[in-house]
Amino acid sequence: MDNHPRSSSVITAILTMAAALCLILSFSSSAEPKALVLKPFKQLSQESAECAGCHKDKNPSLYAQWGRSKHYGANVGCYECHQANPEDKDAITHEGHTISVIVSPADCANCHTQEVDEFAKSHHAKAGQIIGSLDNFLAEVVEGALTFNGQSPAAVNGCWQCHGSEVKVLENGDLDPTTWPNTGIGRINPDGSVGACTACHQRHEFSMVQARRPEACGKCHLGPDHPQKEIYEESKHGINFYANVDRMNLDSAKWIVGEDYDAAPTCATCHMSATRELPVTHDVGNRISWTLRPAISEKIDAKAKAQGKEVKSWEARRADMMNVCESCHTKSMIDSFYQQFDSLVVLYNDKFARPGKELMDVLKSEKMLTETAFDEEIEWTWFYLWHHEGRRARHGAAMQAPDYVQWHGMYEVAERFYIELVPQFLEVVEKAEHNGNTEGAEKARAILAEILDRPEHAWFSGNEPEEVKKARKEAQAAFKARYLSESK
């Protein structure tokens, strides 16, 4: 044994550092909430064994999916998830057991407490509250009719399958087929809980691989008004994911970006998954700084602040998202990206969204439109501008998809504004004036004139400075000359 003084000092130093590290880890673990780790049951319960024995024959695919799940490895079976109390609204007696067909977040919270708490704070959890929205009015009334047990088939099969239905129980105990089956993210369950974990974690396997892939979000986040999946696929991130999916390590237990994979991020990476500094979160808005959903974008905390509520600030949310970006990118690149993104949102807001809303507001305040939504052409035009094209442009900038910013976005926003909204606005005003509303017509025209007199609309009003026109013409001439010379 070496008794040299230097050896003793080295050992002492190592022990001191180890003690300090333990202290730091102890503090860290107490400061940060940790997900509940489910300890496996010693054996499958008798109730679940009975369920599995029957469903193995009657529903072999369900049995096989459960057999591949981590629930199976922990001896969590059918009964542990589906058991119910007799007083539950949706409780039924099945093969001598009291169960519920629906496994709600309240049920999942028996083991996954933190995940359900985080989800309950998210915007996803409120997705089912759409009854009074324009989208639901379209599906219930404009597109549909109340022909399916008092509900619109368009809403039942469309909106509610993403947003979530309010699941109703019929007098005979059956689940109302207008509201079930449904895996909408904001589903309102008979037990009072909101959400559907199976919106992202497909039953009965609950595969992490499936939930981490962009297709999991694509069930709802695609289409003309929120094409995030298509946007992702156009972006460099999406291109890299599909080219290198075999290097994504999707079945990793911890799945930390920069450690377990570096080929590309997925939706889960940016919005939910862990980094070296951030824990997993089931609040998908926890790292979002802008809300790009409404007609006019605002910072994500703006509404809460206006209501006097204290919430996580948009700056803190952005800092967390930038932490994700830093797993692969330099700070200077991330800063420049956010300047580009912010500039597009501000351009859309100031040039088209706020002016468009001003025009629609004056028509309504001066009683030039009826109280019924979508019964006049200009209402459809305005809805397309912000709800479809405007969202595409903003989301395209957020996720780096240039075609969605330009041709599916700002190009269509501009065409909709100048070639449809403005002429239709003047038609409505002229009609109101013809019917005697001269004061309202004068006010409306003044607002339009003030908008079009702004510098960003000078090209349309004909008030563009001559030097600007000259520079553009020179650039156009140079482009044509180059194009002609290259085509020879």
Side-chain angles (χ1 to χ4, degrees):
M1 182 174 181
D2 189 353
N3 292 319
H4 194 280
R6 180 179 293 178
S7 299
S8 299
S9 63
V10 170
I11 293 172
T12 302
I14 291 173
L15 290 174
T16 303
M17 291 173 63
L21 180 60
C22 288
L23 182 63
I24 291 170
L25 290 174
S26 174
F27 175 80
S28 169
S29 63
S30 61
E32 291 291 342
K34 299 297 180 184
L36 178 63
V37 178
L38 177 64
K39 293 183 178 180
F41 291 98
K42 290 183 178 181
Q43 61 185 30
L44 192 64
S45 66
Q46 180 60 39
E47 295 88 348
S48 286
E50 291 177 19
C51 298
C54 185
H55 286 288
K56 181 178 181 180
D57 295 327
K58 292 188 175 181
N59 310 106
S61 292
L62 301 186
Y63 178 83
Q65 290 164 4
W66 170 66
R68 290 191 296 268
S69 72
K70 289 197 171 185
H71 283 166
Y72 174 83
N75 283 322
V76 176
C78 313
Y79 189 71
E80 280 68 45
C81 297
H82 286 275
Q83 62 181 306
N85 294 318
E87 61 269 20
D88 292 345
K89 290 182 180 179
D90 56 339
I92 60 173
T93 300
H94 177 69
E95 300 296 334
H97 299 295
T98 303
I99 67 163
S100 168
V101 172
I102 296 174
V103 178
S104 75
D107 299 314
C108 299
N110 289 323
C111 296
H112 303 285
T113 309
Q114 179 169 315
E115 290 83 354
V116 172
D117 286 346
E118 289 171 346
F119 174 85
K121 299 172 185 174
S122 73
H123 192 66
H124 270 168
K126 303 177 182 67
Q129 301 170 20
I130 60 168
I131 297 300
S133 69
L134 288 172
D135 303 59
N136 198 66
F137 177 76
L138 282 167
E140 291 256 345
V141 180
V142 181
E143 308 161 29
L146 306 182
T147 57
F148 178 28
N149 291 356
Q151 302 293 346
S152 166
V156 170
N157 291 278
C159 302
W160 296 359
Q161 295 300 328
C162 279
H163 284 265
S165 61
E166 183 178 357
V167 182
K168 301 290 180 66
V169 182
L170 300 176
E171 289 185 7
N172 66 357
D174 291 342
L175 297 177
D176 186 342
T178 67
T179 64
W180 179 265
N182 185 279
T183 56
I185 193 72
R187 190 180 68 206
I188 302 169
N189 301 295
D191 64 7
S193 66
V194 292
C197 302
T198 51
C200 302
H201 302 278
Q202 184 168 313
R203 58 180 186 258
H204 288 83
E205 187 171 348
F206 304 102
S207 163
M208 290 189 301
V209 173
Q210 177 260 326
R212 287 167 174 169
R213 289 184 62 104
E215 293 90 344
C217 306
K219 177 199 168 191
C220 300
H221 292 279
L222 83 171
D225 60 330
H226 40 42
Q228 287 95 337
K229 183 174 182 290
E230 295 101 314
I231 286 171
Y232 173 80
E233 290 171 350
E234 186 197 351
S235 74
K236 296 296 290 185
H237 289 157
I239 292 167
N240 285 350
F241 172 79
Y242 290 109
N244 301 288
V245 67
D246 58 326
R247 295 197 287 110
M248 286 296 294
N249 204 14
L250 289 164
D251 59 353
S252 167
K254 56 188 177 70
W255 208 56
I256 293 177
V257 62
E259 288 186 7
D260 298 304
Y261 64 105
D262 55 33
T266 70
C267 314
T269 301
C270 297
H271 295 283
M272 301 179 69
S273 300
T275 72
R276 286 168 293 179
E277 292 80 24
L278 297 175
V280 175
T281 177
H282 277 67
D283 181 349
V284 294
N286 202 37
R287 302 169 186 171
I288 294 175
S289 47
W290 282 102
T291 174
L292 306 178
R293 181 188 59 81
I296 300 172
S297 285
E298 59 185 13
K299 291 301 194 316
I300 195 85
D301 58 351
K303 184 175 291 184
K305 281 185 175 179
Q307 296 172 347
K309 298 178 181 177
E310 286 191 18
V311 295
K312 183 177 179 180
S313 69
W314 75 264
E315 294 94 341
R317 294 168 192 256
R318 176 166 293 190
D320 282 352
M321 185 66 87
M322 293 174 80
N323 179 269
V324 180
C325 304
E326 286 169 1
S327 300
C328 298
H329 301 291
T330 62
K331 187 177 185 304
S332 61
M333 184 176 182
I334 298 165
D335 288 341
S336 294
F337 158 73
Y338 268 108
Q339 289 181 53
Q340 292 179 351
F341 170 40
D342 290 347
S343 70
L344 188 283
V345 176
V346 172
L347 171 67
Y348 160 81
N349 273 352
D350 292 349
K351 186 170 183 178
F352 298 111
R354 287 195 175 93
K357 189 173 185 304
E358 286 182 70
L359 296 178
M360 295 303 294
D361 285 350
V362 71
L363 294 183
K364 291 175 182 176
S365 65
E366 296 302 319
K367 309 297 183 185
M368 297 182 187
L369 298 177
T370 69
E371 293 184 1
T372 303
F374 294 107
D375 65 336
E376 289 154 306
E377 186 178 18
I378 195 170
E379 293 176 304
W380 291 82
T381 299
W382 169 236
F383 190 72
Y384 273 119
L385 190 155
W386 72 264
H387 189 269
H388 283 48
E389 291 107 16
R391 281 187 183 171
R392 292 201 292 264
R394 290 171 280 171
H395 284 125
M399 296 170 59
Q400 299 177 313
D403 199 59
Y404 279 90
V405 176
Q406 169 61 13
W407 298 116
H408 293 305
M410 293 302 288
Y411 165 79
E412 294 189 355
V413 168
E415 189 274 340
R416 194 78 66 180
F417 182 86
Y418 292 117
I419 307 305
E420 296 185 39
L421 188 72
V422 170
Q424 290 168 15
F425 176 86
L426 290 172
E427 287 178 12
V428 172
V429 171
E430 184 177 344
K431 181 180 178 181
E433 186 177 45
H434 180 75
N435 291 334
N437 189 358
T438 54
E439 186 177 339
E442 184 178 348
K443 181 179 178 181
R445 287 198 178 97
I447 289 175
L448 177 61
E450 189 277 324
I451 289 171
L452 295 181
D453 195 44
R454 298 171 189 172
E456 59 268 30
H457 300 293
W459 78 273
F460 186 72
S461 62
N463 296 324
E464 203 171 31
E466 288 302 320
E467 61 271 20
V468 175
K469 290 182 182 179
K470 181 181 177 182
R472 183 178 298 109
K473 287 180 180 179
E474 290 175 352
Q476 289 171 347
F479 173 80
K480 288 179 181 178
R482 183 174 68 254
Y483 179 80
L484 289 173
S485 66
E486 291 173 350
S487 63
K488 290 181 180 179

